[in-house]
């Protein structure tokens, strides 16, 4: 069984959704037969990396909110993250374009380390306040999961995997991605958003047991394609 996950490193619901999906996998009888494939998506392709701004400031500037109101809005997501054992620090999260992070993720996927790379990137962004568009940071994260530093540096210094990232984003439109995270199971069933683990488990069982030509949709909390979370 193949599970494709469209996600952006900067999407708070994507990290939460990852944890909830993992909870479902622990209960899924056929978990050993599940192949997870991470797919790239960008909520804001035009975002300019600015290490002087955190997520609160970015939201305030973009939406015309006060900084305090932006913090208040983010607190709900922080609580959701805590419920699945994650620590979010939006006050430290560096505003950064995720394209290069996605390229490194594709390199990791080439070595069957895609899931480990996504985990490292999520933690770096939401918990550790690292700049996920900084070359040295990306190299350090990649090395921490077993990739070769020189190979990662070479990828970052040229256009490697850029086409793969773009292809994933284009494919997202073809399969009906309306927000991320977006999980497609065997191209039979789609689950949108950070659903409860029970919902993911039900979808896995349904896809395993049924043969369907069309994709059914189950919607939940997510970041929309226009960057709204």
């Amino acid at each position: 069984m193949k599970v494709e996950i469209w996600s952006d490193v900067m999407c708070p619901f994507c990290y939460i959704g990852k944890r909830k999906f993992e909870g479902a996998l622990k209960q899924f009888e056929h978990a050993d037969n599940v192949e997870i494939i991470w797919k790239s998506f960008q909520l804001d392709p035009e975002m300019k990396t600015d290490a002087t701004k955190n997520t609160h400031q970015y939201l305030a500037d973009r939406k015309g909110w006060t900084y305090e109101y932006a913090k208040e809005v983010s607190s709900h997501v922080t609580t959701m993250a805590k419920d699945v054992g994650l620590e979010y620090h939006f006050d430290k999260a560096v505003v950064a374009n995720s394209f290069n992070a996605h390229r490194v993720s594709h390199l990791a996927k080439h070595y069957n380390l895609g899931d480990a790379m996504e985990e490292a990137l999520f933690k770096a962004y939401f918990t550790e306040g690292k700049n996920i568009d900084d070359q040295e940071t990306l190299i350090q994260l990649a090395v921490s999961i077993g990739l070769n530093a020189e190979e990662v540096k070479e990828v970052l210094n040229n256009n490697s995997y850029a086409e793969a990232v773009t292809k994933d984003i284009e494919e997202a439109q073809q399969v009906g991605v309306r927000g991320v995270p977006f999980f497609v199971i065997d191209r039979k069933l789609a689950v949108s958003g950070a659903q409860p683990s029970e919902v993911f488990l039900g979808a896995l069982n349904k896809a395993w047991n049924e043969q369907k030509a069309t994709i059914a949709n189950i919607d939940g909390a997510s970041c929309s394609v226009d960057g709204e979370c």
Side-chain angles (χ1 to χ4, degrees), residues 40-55:
S40 300
F41 193 87
Q42 281 198 291
L43 292 167
D44 188 355
E46 304 303 319
M47 175 179 282
K48 303 296 182 183
T49 298
D50 187 346
T52 67
K53 286 186 178 181
N54 62 28
T55 301

Side-chain angles (χ1 to χ4, degrees), residues 76-120:
H76 172 65
V77 183
T78 301
T79 299
M80 288 180 64
K82 188 176 295 185
D83 287 342
V84 292
L86 298 174
E87 286 188 27
Y88 277 10
H89 299 292
F90 288 111
D91 57 324
K92 296 195 302 182
V94 176
V95 172
N97 190 289
S98 61
F99 194 82
N100 286 326
H102 283 300
R103 292 202 295 128
V104 174
S105 186
H106 271 275
L107 171 65
K109 185 162 60 175
H110 176 72
Y111 292 102
N112 295 318
L113 291 170
D115 193 74
M117 193 70 243
E118 291 293 325
E119 180 68 28

Side-chain angles (χ1 to χ4, degrees), residues 6-94:
W6 273 267
S7 167
D8 193 1
V9 179
M10 297 181 62
C11 166
F13 295 115
C14 290
Y15 199 9
I16 295 170
K18 183 177 187 293
R19 278 294 181 274
K20 292 187 175 183
F21 181 74
E22 289 167 347
L25 272 183
K26 290 178 181 179
Q27 304 172 63
F28 184 51
E29 183 181 356
H30 309 286
D32 290 342
N33 299 106
V34 176
E35 177 188 6
I36 298 174
I37 301 174
W38 287 91
K39 296 280 193 174
S40 300
F41 193 87
Q42 281 198 291
L43 292 167
D44 188 355
E46 304 303 319
M47 175 179 282
K48 303 296 182 183
T49 298
D50 187 346
T52 67
K53 286 186 178 181
N54 62 28
T55 301
H56 294 319
Q57 192 62 57
Y58 167 73
L59 286 174
D61 292 346
R62 181 177 178 181
K63 297 180 179 293
W65 296 343
T66 65
Y67 186 83
E68 289 304 315
Y69 183 68
K71 286 178 61 177
E72 183 180 336
V73 171
S74 298
S75 65
H76 172 65
V77 183
T78 301
T79 299
M80 288 180 64
K82 188 176 295 185
D83 287 342
V84 292
L86 298 174
E87 286 188 27
Y88 277 10
H89 299 292
F90 288 111
D91 57 324
K92 296 195 302 182
V94 176

